[in-house]
Amino acid sequence: MATVKGYVEKIKFRNEENGYTVLEAGWDGEDYVLVGTFPYINEGDLVEAEGRMVEHPIYGEQLQVESYELKAPEDTMSMERYLGSGAVKGVGAALAARIVRRFKADTFRIVEEEPERLAEVKGVSEKLARSIAGQMEEKKEMRQAMIFLQQYGISMNLALKIYQQYGPALYGIIKENPYRLADDIQGVGFKIADEIAQRVGIVADSDYRIRSGIFYCLLQSVANGHTYLPQEELLNSASELLCVKAGAMEKHLMDLQMEKKIMVKIGEGGDPGRHIYAAQYYYMELNAARMLHDLNIRGTEPEEAVRSKLEEICREEGIEADEMQIQAVIRAVNSGLLVITGGPGTGKTTTINTIIRYFEQEGMEILLAAPTGRAAKRMTEATGYEAKTIHRLLELNGVPDEDNGTSGMHFERGEENPLEADAVIIDETSMVDIYLMHALLKAISPGTRLILVGDMNQLPSVGAGNVLRDMIESGGFPVVSLNRIFRQAAESDIIVNAHRINAGEQIPLGRRSRDFLFIRGEQPDAIIRSMTALVKDKLPGYVHADPFDIQIMTPMRKGALGVERLNGVLQEQLNPRASSKTEKEYGGTVYRVGDKVMQVKNNYQLEWQVRGSRGGVADTGTGVFNGDIGIIREINTFSEEMTVEFDEGRMVDYSFRNLEELELAYAITIHKSQGSEYPAVVIPVHSGPRMLMTRNLIYTAVTRARRCVCLVGIPDMFQMMVDNEAEQKRYTGLGERIREIMADS
């Protein structure tokens, strides 16, 4: 460890969001470069820092700062320099010189103890004197807060967030109830708050701790797709986390209800008992059910008239529609809300196109959208109409909405500013979680038709809820199920076998096929070699695609054929080390220029740019979402940023501190593939937990391929997956809320 002391002479780089700073400091003729998180540091400050001296390959020797302390300037020249550096608003170099000339070495004591005397200096009003004193006091308070927080093992980055959130009130909060941090500060979960509480000395059976732990378990279940948990399951989970008996926690549920953090409902039918919701998710489901009910208006257009117009459209457009597709159009004309569901090759796209042509002839304004950029792009190609992501359709804004109290983002489209359209058509609805569906419904006024298209046999959304299935199974809305495989689709073994998988039938793996291949392999290493050869050498020419566009998908994250191991192997094969490729190691993963990466959480505030051929900005926006895949284009070790290019040329700059939002994507889990389509997919089929090796998982994987599916592994294991109808239970209540509202109306 090395210690450096000096005056800040120049701030070379600063990230205003997280305080990451590169600065030059000097002392007694020695110059230093300091790199680290320095909240509120300014040129002229006297800093004493401790850290590791490292040799940067480009910028030379630097101190990687681990802790630091700002000290009061020790001589009149330094005081003058500090006051005139811009650190204090309203004080320039000339005024700073007059203040120090008047009060000399007593300057800082005067500012702190007798600030009114600053008005003795020409050019300083009483108002400015108070402002100078206030600013100096705030900086002093911030420094003291940093020292206080660091004694509890709190990082400088988190300490800055805590100070910005609570100000001087942080002392009482940390000592009495640090679990508030988990509620109030983004990025602080129960476990961080619990570590702080232990250092503070808060006992394990504290009421604050138990309530916070229960609520944490509830929010963790949301991350697993649930919108509620049965009471017994919730308390058992909290008991395991907190090491407190489940029976001792029931009384705290009432307290959480009183705080309006949770809602308790009694289940219906085959799922009785107490259902515990995080309040926001209960009200999302309730409000979504109400809005769906309000949209469900029945029309009166005679069926004969609709059929007559349809026949003319089909003749003009050369469309061959079967009876179920015709019924779908008739229902679309006469329904405020319609669900169209069906597997691959059953004519969902043809049905959408026919509906669009019909509405177009009626002079209606139509909007198309899908949950992901890739799905929206496919929808555009299939219909000839522009389709947007749902987030862009709703005009996502990363700036907080103070009126609605949102901290991170909001949609410009909503109840006060609804979408201006006669019909909204959403594709890949199985991917839409309750949060996004709730936001979409708020932006659609009754009288606007909403048509939801999707495959209910796909895996449910990554986010909480099971919206499409709950809507269909509620029995509350018109549903058209397309189940006929059309002649052209029937020529594809991908589509035929997908339907066989869905029906639980035997799949003829030994049969020669152009687009559905099974390569036998017993040992994981042999399977990996086969998959690597397919992606690198054999499939690109066969499907006319770049190796990076071919996707390996696996059921698991861990294990010999899990995402984590496969990505390490494939990275070295597809993007090996080279002196021309900058690297950054983060969390045990090496990221390299040219790597294929995936965003693994929704970030509504990340800004992106589409850059023109001459370097200008052609388009901008906010939001990068769970499952978005891109390529690392640049790693800047000086500014500590990584630039990733996503679909449609969207360039996003990531701070090194935010790299936990990315992971390598040469291989991804099947869950993460939802809504995407690839020229070819490669799927390892080997042993794994029965709860993961399921029919709807392998069905989802197979239906992601456009031209070729390659399965590599053990044939019996593949058939075991086809036979395994088990699905991971997802606790959701949208269907119940719909039935309640239907019963009351």
Side-chain angles (χ1 to χ4, degrees):
M1 298 289 282
T3 301
V4 164
K5 183 177 181 180
Y7 289 100
V8 178
E9 294 178 347
K10 184 177 181 181
I11 293 177
K12 299 176 74 173
F13 171 81
R14 164 175 276 165
N15 184 322
E16 296 295 345
E17 288 184 9
N18 57 30
Y20 176 80
T21 306
V22 179
L23 60 86
E24 292 178 352
W27 181 266
D28 281 347
E30 294 286 336
D31 294 322
Y32 309 97
V33 175
L34 278 59
V35 178
T37 301
F38 294 91
Y40 297 130
I41 203 165
N42 291 282
E43 291 178 3
D45 276 341
L46 177 60
V47 61
E48 186 172 273
E50 190 175 77
R52 292 179 299 108
M53 279 292 185
V54 297
E55 187 70 27
H56 192 281
I58 298 174
Y59 305 108
E61 190 176 57
Q62 299 178 339
L63 182 73
Q64 294 278 0
V65 176
E66 295 183 11
S67 64
Y68 77 96
E69 183 179 351
L70 294 179
K71 296 181 172 292
E74 297 173 354
D75 55 65
T76 55
M77 186 179 296
S78 300
M79 291 178 186
E80 180 181 329
R81 187 176 180 183
Y82 176 79
L83 288 173
S85 68
V88 181
K89 290 179 182 176
V91 180
L95 182 53
R98 290 202 297 274
I99 291 172
V100 175
R101 198 160 50 240
R102 173 72 179 83
F103 299 113
K104 299 184 173 55
D106 213 21
T107 297
F108 275 41
R109 187 197 65 78
I110 294 290
V111 171
E112 289 183 8
E113 298 176 10
E114 303 175 74
E116 68 280 356
R117 287 190 59 194
L118 292 172
E120 297 172 14
V121 177
K122 183 181 178 183
V124 180
S125 64
E126 288 185 16
K127 182 178 179 181
L128 179 57
R130 288 194 298 273
S131 173
I132 294 169
Q135 291 180 65
M136 296 287 281
E137 181 62 25
E138 183 182 354
K139 292 175 189 299
K140 182 180 176 183
E141 286 178 359
M142 186 275 294
R143 293 168 187 164
Q144 291 171 342
M146 294 292 150
I147 294 168
F148 170 78
L149 293 170
Q150 284 173 28
Q151 70 180 315
Y152 294 114
I154 298 171
S155 69
M156 286 187 282
N157 203 22
L158 177 55
L160 175 59
K161 289 182 180 179
I162 293 171
Y163 182 75
Q164 290 173 333
Q165 177 74 30
Y166 301 121
L170 68 86
Y171 300 97
I173 290 166
I174 293 294
K175 289 179 178 177
E176 294 170 18
N177 180 19
Y179 296 100
R180 270 189 61 183
L181 273 62
D183 294 339
D184 298 341
I185 300 176
Q186 189 175 9
V188 179
F190 170 81
K191 292 186 177 178
I192 292 175
D194 202 34
E195 287 175 10
I196 295 168
Q198 288 176 28
R199 294 189 186 107
V200 172
I202 291 174
V203 294
D205 62 352
S206 152
D207 288 354
Y208 290 134
R209 180 172 186 264
I210 292 174
R211 287 203 294 271
S212 183
I214 291 171
F215 194 63
Y216 170 78
C217 289
L218 205 50
L219 293 183
Q220 283 298 104
S221 74
V222 168
N224 292 324
H226 307 297
T227 56
Y228 74 84
L229 280 182
Q231 178 173 310
E232 183 179 0
E233 192 167 322
L234 171 61
L235 294 185
N236 286 340
S237 177
S239 175
E240 189 175 325
L241 173 74
L242 301 169
C243 299
V244 175
K245 289 183 179 178
M249 292 189 286
E250 282 192 40
K251 62 180 182 180
H252 294 286
L253 293 176
M254 180 61 74
D255 294 331
L256 287 166
Q257 279 185 273
M258 296 292 287
E259 293 173 17
K260 298 185 177 178
K261 284 188 172 182
I262 68 169
M263 285 289 296
V264 180
K265 293 290 289 182
I266 303 300
E268 63 171 30
D271 190 19
R274 286 159 64 85
H275 296 172
I276 315 297
Y277 286 82
Q280 69 193 93
Y281 286 92
Y282 171 77
Y283 287 113
M284 272 187 209
E285 286 191 336
L286 181 64
N287 291 333
R290 175 186 55 78
M291 291 185 286
L292 287 166
H293 173 268
D294 292 347
L295 288 176
N296 191 26
I297 300 168
R298 301 300 168 92
T300 57
E301 185 78 13
E303 183 173 326
E304 295 77 13
V306 178
R307 280 183 180 274
S308 176
K309 291 178 184 176
L310 261 177
E311 287 172 7
E312 186 179 338
I313 290 169
C314 289
R315 273 197 310 273
E316 290 175 356
E317 302 287 338
I319 296 172
E320 293 183 21
D322 74 350
E323 181 57 30
M324 288 309 298
Q325 291 174 311
I326 291 168
Q327 283 298 320
V329 181
I330 292 168
R331 289 208 176 189
V333 171
N334 279 317
S335 302
L337 175 63
L338 175 65
V339 177
I340 300 172
T341 185
T346 57
K348 295 192 297 295
T349 299
T350 300
T351 305
I352 292 172
N353 279 330
T354 309
I355 291 170
I356 289 171
R357 301 298 177 260
Y358 189 100
F359 286 170
E360 194 178 36
Q361 281 204 1
E362 298 295 300
M364 295 167 63
E365 184 73 24
I366 309 158
L367 294 175
L368 309 182
T372 67
R374 290 187 176 217
K377 186 177 181 182
R378 288 208 326 272
M379 197 179 187
T380 298
E381 291 167 353
T383 63
Y385 272 72
E386 182 190 12
K388 300 179 179 179
T389 64
I390 299 173
H391 290 89
R392 292 203 78 182
L393 181 72
L394 299 179
E395 298 175 21
L396 175 73
N397 190 332
V399 178
D401 186 344
E402 295 177 6
D403 293 337
N404 293 332
T406 55
S407 59
M409 51 68 68
H410 70 283
F411 293 111
E412 294 291 345
R413 294 290 182 175
E415 291 157 310
E416 302 299 320
N417 183 27
L419 293 167
E420 297 169 5
D422 299 299
V424 177
I425 303 175
I426 306 295
D427 199 8
E428 295 282 5
T429 308
S430 63
M431 291 184 64
V432 179
D433 61 22
I434 188 62
Y435 170 80
L436 192 55
M437 178 57 74
H438 182 259
L440 174 67
L441 293 171
K442 283 169 64 179
I444 298 177
S445 302
T448 296
R449 289 174 175 81
L450 175 61
I451 299 167
L452 303 173
V453 184
D455 183 350
M456 69 176 285
N457 294 308
Q458 297 274 3
L459 291 168
S461 57
V462 174
N466 204 347
V467 173
L468 182 64
R469 178 164 292 194
D470 282 355
M471 286 181 63
I472 292 170
E473 293 181 350
S474 73
F477 312 111
V479 176
V480 175
S481 296
L482 304 176
N483 46 37
R484 174 191 163 198
I485 304 176
F486 282 82
R487 179 173 52 82
Q488 188 175 354
E491 295 173 3
S492 164
D493 286 334
I494 295 174
I495 289 173
V496 171
N497 286 335
H499 284 272
R500 285 174 174 159
I501 290 168
N502 196 37
E505 297 174 3
Q506 191 81 18
I507 311 298
L509 297 178
R511 175 182 159 192
R512 288 180 63 85
S513 172
R514 290 175 303 169
D515 59 7
F516 195 94
L517 314 175
F518 199 103
I519 300 169
R520 291 173 181 266
E522 295 290 331
Q523 299 303 318
D525 287 349
I527 292 171
I528 291 173
R529 284 195 296 273
S530 295
M531 292 195 301
T532 303
L534 285 166
V535 172
K536 189 177 180 182
D537 303 317
K538 297 180 180 179
L539 284 174
Y542 186 63
V543 297
H544 308 293
D546 188 274
F548 273 48
D549 293 328
I550 296 164
Q551 190 62 59
I552 290 180
M553 300 188 302
T554 177
M556 296 163 289
R557 290 196 58 81
K558 306 284 186 182
L561 291 168
V563 163
E564 293 175 7
R565 184 183 181 212
L566 289 175
N567 272 319
V569 173
L570 292 163
Q571 181 189 45
E572 290 309 312
Q573 291 292 322
L574 297 175
N575 188 34
R577 282 185 171 86
S579 58
S580 60
K581 298 175 185 175
T582 310
E583 295 183 355
K584 167 64 182 173
E585 190 275 334
Y586 183 90
T589 298
V590 173
Y591 294 97
R592 187 175 297 141
V593 169
D595 273 339
K596 182 178 179 181
V597 292
M598 173 183 279
Q599 174 81 10
V600 295
K601 62 179 284 190
N602 288 338
N603 187 324
Y604 301 102
Q605 292 176 286
L606 265 180
E607 297 179 356
W608 52 261
Q609 294 181 340
V610 176
R611 296 165 188 170
S613 57
R614 297 183 179 179
V617 177
D619 194 10
T620 61
T622 56
V624 183
F625 306 108
N626 195 349
D628 285 357
I629 288 179
I631 303 292
I632 298 174
R633 296 301 185 196
E634 182 183 3
I635 296 176
N636 188 324
T637 54
F638 180 70
S639 64
E640 301 224 334
E641 287 186 323
M642 180 187 292
T643 302
V644 178
E645 181 178 359
F646 290 99
D647 286 343
E648 300 172 336
R650 293 176 299 139
M651 309 293 283
V652 179
D653 295 327
Y654 288 82
S655 162
F656 283 178
R657 295 176 180 274
N658 293 332
L659 293 187
E660 73 274 1
E661 295 188 11
L662 292 172
E663 62 182 37
L664 294 176
Y666 297 101
I668 64 174
T669 63
I670 295 168
H671 278 87
K672 292 286 189 182
S673 72
Q674 290 168 268
S676 296
E677 188 178 74
Y678 308 96
V681 300
V682 180
I683 308 162
V685 182
H686 201 262
S687 58
R690 182 174 170 78
M691 63 182 290
L692 279 180
M693 312 296 279
T694 62
R695 180 185 298 174
N696 70 339
L697 193 82
I698 195 67
Y699 173 79
T700 298
V702 166
T703 56
R704 299 305 88 203
R706 188 162 60 246
R707 298 184 200 133
C708 189
V709 169
C710 289
L711 299 138
V712 186
I714 303 170
D716 288 348
M717 184 55 63
F718 174 76
Q719 194 60 47
M720 185 278 286
M721 292 183 76
V722 174
D723 294 339
N724 183 10
E725 290 186 80
E727 293 182 30
Q728 286 182 287
K729 174 66 177 173
R730 187 169 276 212
Y731 297 112
T732 62
L734 178 61
E736 288 184 37
R737 305 289 85 77
I738 291 169
R739 286 187 287 273
E740 287 172 359
I741 287 173
M742 299 288 289
D744 291 340
S745 62

